[in-house]
Each structure stands twice: as structure tokens, then as C-alpha cells.
Amino acid sequence: METATDAGPVLFGVPIVFVLFGATLLGVLHLHRRSLEVSLGGLALIVGVRVGFSPFDLARHLGHEWGQLANLFGLLVGFTLLADHFERSNLPLRLPRHLPGGVLGCFALLLCVWLLSGLLDNIAAALIGATAAVGLFKRRVHLGYVAAIVAAANAGGAGSVLGDTTTTMLWISGVSPLTVLPAYLGAAVALVVFGAFASRQQHRHEPLAASDTSPVRVDGPRLAIVLTSLALMIGANVVVNGLAPSVGEKLPVLALALWLVLLAGAQVRPPDWRLLPSATRSASFLLALVLAASLMPVDALPTPSWRVALGLGFVSSFFDNIPLTKLAVQHGGYDWALLAYSVGCGGSIVWFGSSAGVAITGLFPEAKSATRWLRAAWHVPVGFLVGFFTLYALRGWHP
């Protein structure tokens, strides 16, 4: 690890690269439509400072990081196609038919989103839940319930290395899936808290309507592609980490496993290749932030503790949690389950705190008001805090 003096110029005791990184995140926050350009511009400035004003070997750094970056890029783009396969399998259309009535039915839909997010990307789970809600509630969806859908997707991915980009990053970095699994303890408690209040809000706003009972045929081949991809990725990770961990550091094994199934499955059910441009742009944006975070002098950060992990949860509600997770990975010394829960669920407090929240505003434009979101979804930060301290009380701090 480098000291702050090795990171280039310092401004009021803070390395300038940190200032540039913070400015980049603020730029992304206020310029959503130019997020890629802002992230690339910030990355260029940070690289310029590190290379021009410090003894920093950029080529060596990229040589060390490229395997993880390639893995992340391949997974981000591939998960977009995989989520589309799952949606077009028609299985999500069958789920609402089995929901009970009343408040319990509203909560059951949130539970479905929570469970789906453990297998799919949280963005896909949130969009599936939002699409189902539009039909079930005749397009009259309470903003507090919209926020609960986002929170359920983020909480459901907190304990799964397949459910959130942040936990996938931990997996790529060598953290065992079993290490982050306890995050589900806090995530389940959080779901019960915010889900109970949000379900009552929605029931009073618009009761659950009867779902369409016309026959829906599940597309078996598409569902098989999804399940095979997940199984092969998990198997490849176990084998590589057990037999040749150095290979996993140099090659994007998880991404290769995912794309092997996608390309083979394309002979039977082609993915929607039209999704590639937008998926590539989104992945490039996140990759720029992750690479910028990897250039930070991590020994200048606070010593990891449960208080810092809790703080990162609230910070992630305003800044993207992916670069925050990268900083934590670079620094080390965290309880990964507590961190995964915190940065995952914390991003639900405000609509722009997570990719799922940003994605869902396409269906609910009224959600793009932080004030209205906080007023309607006050139960989300309450659930986040109750879940965090429940997880901490049950497990303590295990860095």
C-alpha cells in the first residue's frame, strides 16, 4: 500500500486524487445522461495526477487489475442478456398468479423480488417486480411501494454473489460466497420492516387486482440457459479457486463461463443482441469508476470498523456503491457480510443510490424527486438500520 505522499499533491491534508474522485462521483450524481463521459473524464484526470506527480507504475497496476476488470465487464454485459432470457422465459408472468390477496399479497410480491434478486442482477429483479406491480395495481403504484421494490431487490442481492454487482466484485476478488451469505440475516429483517409498511401503503392506495388467468407457456430452453449459466459460473469459480487460484487472478474465468453458455445457447434461443450497446455503455461507465477507485491511496482511508461500514451504507445512497466497494476491497480488513449488506441496502434510501433505483424510474418518472422519495419511503432507511444492527448483534464484527 502506498502512503498519501506517494499519491501526488495534497490539498488541506487530503490527496488531490481523492478530491478528483469525489468530484467525479458528484458529477455522475448530477449529470446522469453524461455519466460515461464524466466517469471517463474523472478517470483521465486521476491517472494524470498519479502518473505525472507520483512514482506510480500504471502499466504494472493495470497488469494486476486487468483480470478483475475484464471479469466485471463481461459479467455486467452478460447479466443483461441473461436477465432478458429469464424475463422472456415467461416465468415472471406466472409468479403473480400465486399471490394471496390484500396486504399479504403486496408483501408477497416484494418477497418474490427479494428472492429473484439472489439469482439475477438486482436491476432485473427490480424491473420484473415493477412490471408486475403496474399490472397488478392498475398502474396506481404508491411511491413508497416503488421504493420498497428497489429496496427488496437490493436487499435480496446482498447475500448472493450473483445478486448484486458489489457482491460479484467481492467474489471476483476472492471472497467466498459463504462469507457474504450471512448478509441475508440483516436483509431478511430489513425486508420485513420496510415491506410491512410499504404493503399497507399500497393496499390503502390501490388494492391488489386479480391477475390474468390466461395460459402462459414457460420457455424451457431460455430458462435452461439461465440455470446452466449460473451453475457453470459457480462450478468454475469453485474449481479455479480450489485448484489454480493464480489462474483466476489472470483470466476472467466467471465471464468466460457465462459467455460460453450464452453463445452456445444462442443456437437455440438467441439473446436480444440489441441490448448490447446500452449494456456496454453502462458497463464501461461502472468500469471507469472501479478503475478510478483502484487508484486511490487506500491507507489514507479510515480504519475499517462496523461504524465505517454503516457510514458507507449511507454514503452509498448518494454515490454509486460499486466504487465504494472497490475502495473497501483495496483497503481490506472489513467484515464482508456486513459491508455487502450495508452498501447494498443503503443504496435504496434515495432513488439514485443504486442502479436498480435509476432503472426503475423509467417506469415511474415521479420517483425522480429525492424529497418525495424520502417522504413516501421513510420506512426504507428505518428497515436498513434495523437490519444492520440485527446483523451486527447476531454476528458481531468479523474482519
Side-chain angles (χ1 to χ4, degrees):
M1 292 186 182
E2 298 175 346
T3 62
T5 55
D6 292 329
V10 174
L11 181 65
F12 300 114
V14 179
I16 284 183
V17 287
F18 272 125
V19 177
L20 293 174
F21 186 60
T24 301
L25 295 177
L26 284 173
V28 169
L29 177 64
H30 293 289
L31 300 170
H32 283 292
R33 295 184 178 180
R34 297 290 183 182
S35 57
L36 177 59
E37 292 83 353
V38 172
S39 63
L40 290 175
L43 174 62
L45 289 173
I46 292 169
V47 169
V49 171
R50 291 304 309 264
V51 173
F53 299 94
S54 70
F56 180 70
D57 190 338
L58 180 61
R60 182 179 179 183
H61 181 77
L62 292 176
H64 180 265
E65 294 285 332
W66 93 268
Q68 292 188 15
L69 293 174
N71 232 340
L72 184 59
F73 182 82
L75 290 174
L76 288 172
V77 177
F79 276 152
T80 300
L81 300 180
L82 198 65
D84 182 67
H85 268 310
F86 181 78
E87 186 172 359
R88 292 167 66 189
S89 74
N90 292 329
L91 183 61
L93 296 178
R94 281 198 171 187
L95 296 178
R97 300 174 179 219
H98 305 287
L99 298 181
V103 175
L104 188 58
C106 298
F107 182 83
L109 179 58
L110 296 177
L111 178 60
C112 288
V113 173
W114 191 86
L115 293 172
L116 281 176
S117 186
L119 297 175
L120 298 175
D121 185 82
N122 56 348
I123 301 174
L127 288 175
I128 289 171
T131 303
V134 167
L136 290 170
F137 301 113
K138 302 175 182 177
R139 295 188 177 276
R140 296 190 70 243
V141 187
H142 193 280
L143 183 55
Y145 194 76
V146 172
I149 292 174
V150 174
N154 289 334
S160 167
V161 294
L162 302 173
D164 196 311
T165 305
T166 55
T167 51
T168 301
M169 286 176 60
L170 294 177
W171 191 24
I172 293 172
S173 301
V175 177
S176 168
L178 297 178
T179 301
V180 299
L181 191 61
Y184 272 130
L185 294 172
V189 171
L191 174 68
V192 171
V193 173
F194 67 72
F197 288 107
S199 297
R200 288 186 174 88
Q201 284 179 324
Q202 180 57 47
H203 182 67
R204 289 194 298 266
H205 185 68
E206 179 68 39
L208 190 67
S211 60
D212 184 13
T213 57
S214 58
V216 174
R217 183 180 178 182
V218 174
D219 191 330
R222 289 194 187 278
L223 196 57
I225 290 172
V226 174
L227 296 177
T228 304
S229 298
L230 300 179
L232 188 59
M233 282 190 292
I234 294 173
N237 184 261
V238 171
V239 171
V240 170
N241 284 340
L243 300 179
S246 60
V247 174
E249 296 176 0
K250 297 177 181 178
L251 294 176
V253 176
L254 297 180
L256 290 174
L258 171 58
W259 278 94
L260 177 64
V261 178
L262 286 174
L263 294 176
Q267 309 305 313
V268 181
R269 290 291 188 274
D272 187 353
W273 299 114
R274 294 172 298 179
L275 296 172
L276 278 180
S278 62
T280 301
R281 183 179 176 85
S282 297
S284 300
F285 152 66
L286 292 174
L287 218 65
L289 291 182
V290 169
L291 182 54
S294 74
L295 296 169
M296 296 299 105
V298 292
D299 61 336
L301 296 172
T303 301
S305 67
W306 69 265
R307 295 177 182 84
V308 174
L310 177 62
L312 287 176
F314 282 103
V315 172
S316 70
S317 66
F318 295 94
F319 298 119
D320 196 285
N321 55 7
I322 294 174
L324 294 178
T325 303
K326 180 60 178 179
L327 284 175
V329 170
Q330 290 283 107
H331 194 288
Y334 281 89
D335 181 322
W336 298 121
L338 203 63
L339 179 79
Y341 169 82
S342 189
V343 299
C345 296
S348 312
I349 295 175
V350 183
W351 70 269
F352 48 73
S354 70
S355 300
V358 173
I360 211 171
T361 55
L363 292 174
F364 304 98
E366 67 275 13
K368 291 185 177 181
S369 168
T371 303
R372 291 183 62 189
W373 182 285
L374 289 169
R375 187 182 297 121
W378 56 268
H379 41 72
V380 171
V382 172
F384 165 68
L385 286 171
V386 174
F388 182 92
F389 285 110
T390 299
L391 179 59
Y392 179 66
L394 292 175
R395 295 186 65 254
W397 175 256
H398 297 287

